[in-house]
Amino acid sequence: MTSPDLTLDSREVPLGGLRGITVHRTLPQRGLPTVGPWCFVDQFGPTTEPMAVLPHPHTGLQTVTWPLAGEIRHRDNLGSDVVLRPGELNLMTSGRGVAHSEFSVGDITQPISGLQLWVALPGGQLAAEAAFEHHPDLPPVEGRTWTATVLMGEIDGVVSPATTHSPMVGAELRIAAGTATIPLRPDFEHAILAVDGATLVDGIEIAARQMRYLAPGRAEVRLRVPAATTLLLIGGTPFEEQLVMWWNFIGRSHEDIVEARDQWQAASPRFGEVAGHAGKRIPAPPLPQVRLRSRRRTIDGSSSHD
Ligand code: MN
């Protein structure tokens, strides 16, 4: 079986909460729930609508928050209270359960934009303690015609200090007008998101906010941009575990999700409390009437490119 490379469109998704903003989501996709362990890719802004996401829970995942413009205040039930700025990474690992809020701060008349990504945790991490990391100084990578910041994993021998639980890479790529050849791991599948401009990915043009999926088996990818462009590279070994994803929860079964939802609604200590919101929080939506099922993958990420 061959694994075709694919161009993936984003779709607009309103985030929950009274004044939650709209994001452009390129993952998950029908037939492609994950790229490596990456299971959500949301791009927000540029918008002058302030971010105001009240406390909400997560299970079974890491949130990777990477602002491109503006400042975001993160608070969680672990007691973290951090202002996140462009060039800095927030990494929150839910383990069994965590809750957090995210609000625009600073000069909120200026547009905000950024990326929020989720990484699925492997089964062995589903009962672990929650953790939060703020990384203000990530390692830069200097390619010949490109630069990068490694958010997660490693690229070209440069390793991020952020904690990972399965083999993966996540990096912001910046290319001036022209071409760049980015090294890849052949045992990984990858995807390239054109954050702010059209890009040729191995000769195939994608528009801003589109993503190009790259099947395993490549040692590099050639990119060409008509003007200075920012891109996101994600990848990892294809994630073999079946994921049941609903709202802000990732589990392995319908029952996992029902239990997490019930415990959030009951203000269970599983998720604790995020200080500073006077008890305000985002309630879980009603469950669908059908049993939740794992996301089926119909794009084969296990065989080689070409
Ligand atoms: Mn969240």
Side-chain angles (χ1 to χ4, degrees):
M1 191 186 295
T2 58
S3 299
D5 295 344
L6 284 175
T7 297
L8 306 167
D9 288 323
S10 67
R11 60 190 187 279
E12 290 193 15
V13 180
L15 293 186
L18 272 180
R19 303 194 61 202
I21 61 175
T22 295
V23 300
H24 291 86
R25 182 166 295 163
T26 41
L27 207 67
Q29 296 269 346
R30 177 179 291 275
L32 187 68
T34 48
V35 174
W38 301 90
C39 57
F40 254 74
V41 174
D42 280 357
Q43 185 174 354
F44 59 89
T47 175
T48 52
E49 181 76 10
M51 180 180 285
V53 184
L54 282 167
H56 60 279
H58 290 291
T59 63
L61 59 90
Q62 293 177 296
T63 62
V64 176
T65 308
W66 182 248
L68 299 168
E71 300 181 355
I72 300 166
R73 181 181 182 187
H74 161 98
R75 283 170 281 181
D76 62 39
N77 68 301
L78 307 172
S80 313
D81 185 349
V82 167
V83 174
L84 180 66
R85 299 180 174 85
E88 303 177 352
L89 174 72
N90 272 4
L91 175 66
M92 187 177 71
T93 303
S94 75
R96 177 165 166 69
V98 76
H100 72 143
S101 67
E102 293 168 301
F103 281 73
S104 298
V105 291
D107 182 359
I108 62 167
T109 65
Q110 294 302 307
I112 61 166
S113 63
L115 297 163
Q116 190 167 66
L117 319 170
W118 292 2
V119 172
L121 288 172
Q125 292 295 321
L126 295 179
E129 293 292 312
F132 174 77
E133 299 171 17
H134 175 69
H135 294 287
D137 291 302
L138 290 170
V141 188
E142 298 286 335
R144 211 163 53 83
T145 57
W146 53 280
T147 60
T149 304
V150 188
L151 311 183
M152 304 282 282
E154 171 262 326
I155 187 168
D156 217 14
V158 178
V159 181
S160 166
T163 301
T164 60
H165 296 286
S166 64
M168 77 183 76
V169 63
E172 181 192 272
L173 306 176
R174 297 170 298 272
I175 307 171
T179 61
T181 301
I182 312 297
L184 301 178
R185 267 179 61 164
D187 57 328
F188 280 8
E189 59 182 349
H190 294 87
I192 303 267
L193 173 68
V195 172
D196 61 3
T199 304
L200 286 168
V201 182
D202 279 339
I204 306 293
E205 181 165 339
I206 59 171
R209 294 178 175 154
Q210 283 189 320
M211 177 180 272
R212 184 81 179 153
Y213 170 79
L214 305 172
R218 292 165 175 273
E220 61 184 36
V221 62
R222 270 180 70 81
L223 305 173
R224 174 183 284 278
V225 295
T229 302
T230 298
L231 305 118
L232 174 75
L233 170 70
I234 57 171
T237 47
F239 200 81
E240 303 290 349
E241 297 178 51
Q242 299 284 303
L243 302 176
V244 178
M245 300 173 61
W246 180 80
W247 193 44
N248 290 306
F249 303 128
I250 298 180
R252 295 298 183 273
S253 67
H254 176 83
E255 287 71 24
D256 288 350
I257 302 297
V258 171
E259 180 182 50
R261 182 187 182 280
D262 286 349
Q263 290 177 333
W264 173 249
Q265 295 300 84
S268 154
R270 175 174 180 180
F271 299 107
E273 184 168 342
V274 184
H277 298 286
K280 283 189 295 215
R281 61 217 294 276
I282 301 178
L287 279 163
Q289 295 299 309
V290 296
R291 269 185 76 80
L292 299 166
R293 301 168 64 165
S294 62
R295 307 255 176 147
R296 280 231 343 263
R297 183 175 182 131
T298 56
I299 293 152
D300 179 18
S302 63
S303 51
S304 280
H305 171 68
D306 283 340

